[in-house]
Structures are given as structure tokens and as C-alpha cells.
Amino acid sequence: GAVVSQHPSWVICKSGTSVKIECRSLDFQATTMFWYRQFPKQSLMLMATSNEGSKATYEQGVEKDKFLINHASLTLSTLTVTSAHPEDSSFYICSAPRPGAGGARSSYEQYFGPGTRLTVT
Amino acid sequence: GQNIDQPTEMTATEGAIVQINCTYQTSGFNGLFWYQQHAGEAPTFLSYNVLDGLEEKGRFSSFLSRSKGYSYLLLKELQMKDSASYLCAVKSDSNYQLIWGAGTKLIIKP
């Protein structure tokens, strides 16, 4: 079953409004979560790293005042797109690292949420 | 800088075998991941390599050569449902962040 959930799965909003997207780790704690954006037929683009109990780390070119990230608990991170514009329309995906199965070769796998498709009209 | 290269698109026939290559140049190396992403969906984990060699998991295998900065994903007995994008990602340091390749779109033909 899913280990990372995202809500909503899709949202349509009017230009100038704000939209909040939630990302939850379902059966494990995640002190770090990642937020990605993906435009059609393009690869994932890391927007920011969400850190529980501290400020998020934003990638170059991503406006921190426009994309507000709050990692309020060990299982929840939220991304708020403020004053949304049509060019913000995209597929937003979160991920959280979780220990992978296996012994010495185990590593933290990134588990992705199902994504949120945002359309700004 | 950090760079990961993989072919943009590949085409293969149902029932055949296909190999998707990935080369990387990163400041450090702590493992290489392969993910599958169907259109409109989030990526799903396929494999992880941190030591040289081949890791086999059912129809999918992944190979790593750290000295060459090279990996490949091998898909056998291709099925139509394997049509997807395949993403190569490297963990370059000790934190959780991955460096992503642009992905290879695999098209399976009957």
C-alpha cells in the first residue's frame, strides 16, 4: 500500500488565490521531505527540501515567498502556492526518504506521493 | 558540476530485451536509483545500486560501475505496461537528496 499520501490529488483554482497541498508519511516518520514540480513531458524538478522543525531549503530560482513550506510534524509537510498564476499550473509531487529493505546494501529509498495536479485559470 | 545523462527516448518490441544506460558525473557517490514513472503518475522505486555489479529483481536488473560512472537498467520480456519513463538518480552525499536525470521515455510496440 501507499506509504506517502498527498492531498488533494487535483485542484483547479482562480488566478490570485492560494492553494495548499499536504504530504503525509503514513507509517514512518520523515524529518525530511522533498517537493518537486513536473511540467508535461519534462523531468522532475526539485523545488525545495522540507525540514521538520526548521526552515525549508529552496533550490535556486524557486521563490520562497511564493511557495511556502511548513513541516509541522514528523509526518506532515505542506506546500502553499500563494497568489497562483496560470504558469504555476503543474504536477506537484512530494517524496520522503524511508529506510529500504535489505542488510548492508540498504539505503533510504525515496517514496513518492501520488502527486497533485494544479490548474490555475 | 553535477550531471546525469540518459537517452531521451527508446523504442522496443513486446517480449524483447532493452537496456537503458545512465552515466553520471557527481561530486560524490552514495548510491544510484532507478525509478519508473507512468504518464501522469508519481515515480515508483525500481532498484538501488551502491556497489559494483548486477542487481536482479524479476524481469528488471540494474548494473553499476562506479569507476566508469555508469549504470544500466535491463528490462527483459517486455510487456506493453512497461511503456513509461525511466529515471536515473544519484545520491551524491550523505543527505537524502537525489540528483535526477531527465528520464528515458520507453515506447513498447506490439
Side-chain angles (χ1 to χ4, degrees):
Chain A
V3 295
V4 176
S5 70
Q6 247 181 277
H7 178 80
S9 55
W10 60 270
V11 58
I12 301 172
C13 71
K14 292 186 177 180
S15 186
T17 61
S18 295
V19 174
K20 179 186 283 188
I21 303 170
E22 293 186 348
C23 178
R24 293 182 185 273
S25 56
L26 297 181
D27 61 354
F28 67 102
Q29 294 180 336
T31 56
T32 300
M33 292 184 177
F34 298 98
W35 286 97
Y36 296 88
R37 180 166 55 182
Q38 188 174 36
F39 292 105
K41 298 185 180 180
Q42 295 187 22
S43 189
L44 294 172
M45 186 188 78
L46 179 66
M47 298 176 65
T49 303
S50 174
N51 304 298
E52 189 271 334
S54 64
K55 292 182 179 179
T57 305
Y58 290 83
E59 295 301 300
Q60 191 172 6
V62 178
E63 300 174 58
K64 62 180 181 181
D65 294 330
K66 179 172 181 62
F67 298 98
L68 302 178
I69 291 174
N70 183 16
H71 199 140
S73 76
L74 289 171
T75 60
L76 173 64
S77 175
T78 60
L79 168 68
T80 301
V81 183
T82 64
S83 187
H85 290 282
E87 55 265 33
D88 297 325
S89 298
S90 187
F91 190 47
Y92 291 86
I93 313 173
C94 70
S95 74
R98 182 191 184 199
R105 293 189 178 187
S106 66
S107 179
Y108 281 79
E109 301 171 15
Q110 291 286 348
Y111 282 84
F112 287 85
T116 297
R117 189 160 302 282
L118 171 63
T119 301
V120 185
T121 61
Chain B
Q2 318 264 49
N3 194 50
I4 296 180
D5 289 315
Q6 47 180 134
T8 304
E9 186 175 297
M10 298 181 70
T11 302
T13 304
E14 188 178 15
I17 299 173
V18 71
Q19 177 175 310
I20 302 173
N21 296 325
C22 170
T23 57
Y24 62 90
Q25 292 177 312
T26 55
S27 55
F29 182 83
N30 275 280
L32 185 144
F33 295 80
W34 284 97
Y35 283 81
Q36 179 191 62
Q37 186 179 25
H38 285 100
E41 299 179 12
T44 55
F45 171 80
L46 287 179
S47 68
Y48 167 73
N49 295 70
V50 67
L51 300 177
D52 290 350
L54 187 69
E55 295 279 348
E56 296 185 79
K57 191 184 293 185
R59 294 190 297 115
F60 293 2
S61 303
S62 57
F63 171 83
L64 174 68
S65 169
R66 289 172 296 170
S67 62
K68 295 181 179 178
Y70 167 71
S71 172
Y72 67 72
L73 179 69
L74 190 72
L75 293 77
K76 302 176 183 177
E77 302 170 16
L78 287 170
Q79 302 175 9
M80 297 303 292
K81 67 179 182 179
D82 297 330
S83 292
S85 287
Y86 291 85
L87 306 172
C88 173
V90 171
K91 190 155 80 84
S92 69
D93 55 31
S94 59
N95 67 29
Y96 302 124
Q97 189 170 327
L98 297 179
I99 302 166
W100 293 88
T104 298
K105 182 179 180 181
L106 178 63
I107 299 169
I108 308 298
K109 295 185 175 180

